Amino acid sequence: MNRNVLISGASIAGPALAYWLGRHGFNPTVVELAPALRGGGQAVDFRGDTHLTVLERMGLLPELRAMQTGGSPMTFVDEGGRTLLHLPAEFAGGAIEVLRGDLAQLLYERGLDHTEYLFGDSITGLTETSSGVRVDFRHAASREFDLVIGADGLHSNVRRLAFGPEEDYVSHLGYYAATWQLANERGWGRGSVGHNAPGRLASVGADHRDPARAGAFFVFAAPALSYDRHDPEQQKRLIADAFSGLGWEVPRLLDSLRRAPELYFDSISRADVGTWSRGRVCLVGDAACGATIGGMGTGTAMVAAYVLAGELARAGGDHRAAFARYEDRLRKYAKGCQTGGDRTGKFLAPGTATGLRFRNGLLSKPVFLNWMLRLGEKVSSDVALPDYAAEPREPRRRTGAAR
């Protein structure tokens, strides 16, 4: 009955899907390249009735409200530190904003009783058989699963193996983004303070949990760059070159970058997959229809996990029917949310001085700002959610959780 399901990726979509599959009586296994759950990370938000309904049905709302950051106001300043534009916390933070690492930990704990986790490993091969999918791992012995789900993000390994090379599905949107941690020696407060030059944004704000720490967030316009995604020193050089000569706090922030032990660096891109499933393999979250920043990816991933698990349960494990209904229900919704990511780079770092003045002037008007907030809530709620009436199972501890 297609009950044994392998999920690639333990960020948000993967653990959320494992939770719901377990509630419906499936046996999920999650494989994750990292040696453990990734902590920290940027804040992620939920907004609108659809997001909140899924969180309520998972029973997560009280805990998420207890750990929420309170939102992240954004202030844009000139080179001398004078405010040009201030955006309130709800603009970026939605109804609930939490740290990505906190959300991932909560999802992991909620589904642990019925989920096997394989950390520090990855899929190297997928071969569909008459009864399932033979999966080869980098370290673990090969195994056969009934279904395989790619919940492994924009640069999905499952999508590459089952659908084709990344360049066939991922489009560069003209910008790159970077984040890293540093000591909060300047006493940065809640939210972020940023300085723009055409095509560039350098910003910094206090860590939500530890005010002695701060986080830098840089965005810059560039065509598709050739670099090693696993070479942080090369990435640091690209960032330093892109922001060379910029004033304000940029030289000090670049100096902290040189010493930063960890760096997130990636293009702002969009994934477009013509069909989200192929045989017994299906994609969920950013792997299917994601955007690096600004595409409501976290909320969409949570909704998609709920619907995919529910449709598999409703179809009695018939993956063909379930995958088709899952995509039919969510494709238009996910694409609508995703389009916000197309504008993120241009919003954060307009390419011209005229564009910067236009953005600052327009968003300084309360009427326009409120319209944008209402539009975000409308887009994030533009889908009808079935009630799959999942009944909790008796908890049973899966083995082989960590390696």
Side-chain angles (χ1 to χ4, degrees), residues 97-125:
E97 183 185 82
V98 297
L99 297 180
R100 177 178 290 276
D102 290 347
L103 176 61
Q105 181 68 36
L106 183 57
L107 292 171
Y108 169 77
E109 291 172 354
R110 282 300 179 93
L112 191 57
D113 283 337
H114 52 244
T115 304
E116 175 187 7
Y117 276 86
L118 305 174
F119 286 105
D121 211 342
S122 64
I123 299 170
T124 59

Side-chain angles (χ1 to χ4, degrees), residues 81-366:
R82 292 179 292 272
T83 297
L84 301 172
L85 171 66
H86 177 77
L87 298 175
E90 59 267 25
F91 181 82
I96 296 177
E97 183 185 82
V98 297
L99 297 180
R100 177 178 290 276
D102 290 347
L103 176 61
Q105 181 68 36
L106 183 57
L107 292 171
Y108 169 77
E109 291 172 354
R110 282 300 179 93
L112 191 57
D113 283 337
H114 52 244
T115 304
E116 175 187 7
Y117 276 86
L118 305 174
F119 286 105
D121 211 342
S122 64
I123 299 170
T124 59
L126 297 171
T127 305
E128 189 155 340
T129 69
S130 59
S131 58
V133 183
R134 176 186 169 86
V135 181
D136 300 318
F137 296 96
R138 180 178 297 179
H139 301 297
S142 298
R143 293 165 61 179
E144 185 165 302
F145 293 87
D146 297 322
L147 305 171
V148 174
I149 310 297
D152 41 1
L154 202 67
H155 303 293
S156 170
N157 183 42
V158 167
R159 188 185 60 221
R160 178 182 60 82
L161 291 169
F163 291 72
E166 181 171 308
E167 54 266 30
D168 290 350
Y169 302 103
V170 177
S171 303
H172 178 57
L173 298 177
Y175 285 82
Y176 285 82
T179 63
W180 66 92
Q181 292 287 304
L182 62 147
N184 191 5
E185 297 171 346
R186 302 283 286 175
W188 301 107
R190 176 171 166 245
S192 66
V193 180
H195 174 62
N196 279 116
R200 292 181 287 180
L201 167 69
S203 67
V204 62
D207 186 280
H208 288 287
R209 183 170 291 127
D210 181 3
R213 304 291 297 168
F217 176 55
F218 278 35
V219 174
F220 65 93
L225 301 173
S226 177
Y227 65 95
D228 184 349
R229 289 185 57 232
H230 303 290
D231 185 350
E233 294 306 316
Q234 182 188 20
Q235 296 164 26
K236 289 178 181 181
R237 290 192 296 270
L238 290 173
I239 298 164
D241 289 345
F243 285 84
S244 175
L246 201 60
W248 186 60
E249 298 285 338
V250 172
R252 185 176 287 104
L253 293 171
L254 289 177
D255 184 58
S256 75
L257 171 63
R258 284 186 280 272
R259 302 189 303 271
E262 294 184 358
L263 169 69
Y264 166 85
F265 178 76
D266 204 352
S267 63
I268 296 182
S269 298
R270 184 188 68 239
D272 296 287
V273 183
T275 301
W276 293 351
S277 62
R278 184 163 293 183
R280 291 176 173 269
V281 179
C282 189
L283 304 175
V284 66
D286 285 353
C289 191
T292 309
I293 306 171
M296 302 186 194
T298 302
T300 302
M302 297 285 284
V303 173
Y306 171 78
V307 172
L308 177 54
E311 291 298 340
L312 281 167
R314 182 171 283 182
D318 179 351
H319 64 282
R320 295 178 185 86
F323 290 170
R325 285 202 294 260
Y326 152 69
E327 185 169 346
D328 184 60
R329 286 190 184 279
L330 286 190
R331 174 172 282 276
K332 182 180 177 181
Y333 169 74
K335 293 288 286 184
C337 294
Q338 180 195 43
T339 56
D342 295 353
R343 302 184 292 269
T344 299
K346 296 175 183 178
F347 164 74
L348 293 171
T352 65
T354 300
L356 284 167
R357 289 193 295 271
F358 180 76
R359 179 202 66 188
N360 294 345
L362 196 62
L363 288 176
S364 294
K365 302 180 186 300

Side-chain angles (χ1 to χ4, degrees), residues 45-48 69-74 86-97 190 366 369-370 372-374 376-377:
D45 65 271
F46 299 96
R47 60 187 69 216
T69 65
S72 301
M74 303 167 65
H86 177 77
L87 298 175
E90 59 267 25
F91 181 82
I96 296 177
E97 183 185 82
R190 176 171 166 245
L369 186 62
N370 290 334
M372 287 191 68
L373 289 170
R374 290 195 301 272
E377 289 191 4

